[in-house]
């Protein structure tokens, strides 16, 4: 099981980075529904029911099982929803996945942010925070991330967080229904 000592990190514009919670399925479904068109060019093709609470509840359960196994750390970007009793509004996700121990001590990083919050430094701050969590709380040596070659915004986020480009993976992931190349970045967390 992963133990994270800094689960709530304040970010710009009142956004907070925190661990995914079991009751986040409804807010996550709303976030994916709100951003479906925005995310479509950058993500795998999704089933029609992907942005439903039922599907997201299964995903949340599986992601949190990864925390228990020590193989993943699913985080969400949230901001308080209007109204004192309302749940947090999810405005993005960051997931440290494929955590491999032993001689590798490495993991992959994936992320997205709400279409209405891009260009405000939120994701740059969040990725930098995750670098610290990966190093200090998870004890990882390395993080890796990949972007589509044309996703210059994401590449700038990674560069600001100290990632360096180290390669190009041909036909790396099936994005929007077709195999796509990815530019690969890494951040070495310890000297």
């Amino acid at each position: 099981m992963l133990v994270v000592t800094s689960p709530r990190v304040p970010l710009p514009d009142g956004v907070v980075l925190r661990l995914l919670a079991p009751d986040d399925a409804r807010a996550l479904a709303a976030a994916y529904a709100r951003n479906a068109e925005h995310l479509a060019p950058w993500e795998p093709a999704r089933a029609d029911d992907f942005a439903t609470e039922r599907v997201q509840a299964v995903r949340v359960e599986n992601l949190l099982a990864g925390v228990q196994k020590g193989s993943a750390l699913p985080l969400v970007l949230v901001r308080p929803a209007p109204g004192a009793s309302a749940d947090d509004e999810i405005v993005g996700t960051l997931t440290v996945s494929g955590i491999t121990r032993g001689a590798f001590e490495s993991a992959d990083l994936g992320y997205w942010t709400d279409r209405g919050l891009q260009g405000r430094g939120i994701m740059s701050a969040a990725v930098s925070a995750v670098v610290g969590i990966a190093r200090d709380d998870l004890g990882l040596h390395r993080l890796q991330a990949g972007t589509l070659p044309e996703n210059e915004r994401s590449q700038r986020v990674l560069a600001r967080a100290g990632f360096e480009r180290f390669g190009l993976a041909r036909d790396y992931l099936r994005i929007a229904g077709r195999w796509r190349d990815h530019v690969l970045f890494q951040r070495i967390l310890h000297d």
Side-chain angles (χ1 to χ4, degrees):
M1 178 174 161
L2 299 176
V3 178
V4 180
T5 59
S6 53
R8 294 187 67 83
V9 179
L11 302 171
D13 282 352
V15 174
V16 172
L17 174 69
R18 68 163 170 80
L19 186 62
L20 180 69
D23 60 351
D24 279 336
R26 181 170 31 131
L28 199 52
Y32 278 115
R34 189 174 62 249
N35 287 281
E37 187 176 319
H38 163 63
L39 295 173
W42 314 110
E43 291 200 334
R46 304 292 191 190
D48 291 340
D49 63 348
F50 181 76
T52 64
E53 186 174 352
R54 179 184 57 78
V55 168
Q56 292 307 310
V58 172
R59 286 189 70 240
V60 167
E61 184 178 320
N62 290 336
L63 287 165
L64 293 177
V67 174
Q68 294 298 316
K69 294 176 189 170
S71 63
L73 182 67
L75 302 160
V76 289
L77 299 174
V78 298
R79 63 180 175 187
S85 64
D87 293 334
D88 286 340
E89 176 186 33
I90 293 178
V91 294
T93 69
L94 292 94
T95 304
V96 177
S97 63
I99 296 173
T100 304
R101 297 297 181 176
F104 201 37
E105 295 296 339
S106 185
D108 292 300
L109 175 64
Y111 53 86
W112 66 267
T113 190
D114 194 277
R115 70 177 179 266
L117 294 177
Q118 296 209 335
R120 298 184 188 186
I122 295 167
M123 190 53 75
S124 291
V127 169
S128 291
V130 169
V131 165
I133 292 168
R135 180 190 58 236
D136 301 335
D137 296 333
L138 303 182
L140 294 176
H141 171 70
R142 178 181 172 277
L143 276 179
Q144 174 177 307
T147 74
L148 291 172
E150 66 271 21
N151 194 345
E152 294 175 6
R153 271 190 153 168
S154 189
Q155 293 170 24
R156 286 192 300 269
V157 164
L158 293 168
R160 281 192 287 274
F163 284 73
E164 62 183 346
R165 180 181 172 155
F166 74 96
L168 178 72
R170 298 277 178 210
D171 293 337
Y172 187 64
L173 289 173
R174 189 179 303 201
I175 300 295
R178 62 188 186 116
W179 290 103
R180 298 291 312 274
D181 296 348
H182 275 65
V183 180
L184 301 179
F185 292 82
Q186 69 178 359
R187 167 81 192 259
I188 303 301
L189 306 174
H190 294 105
D191 294 335

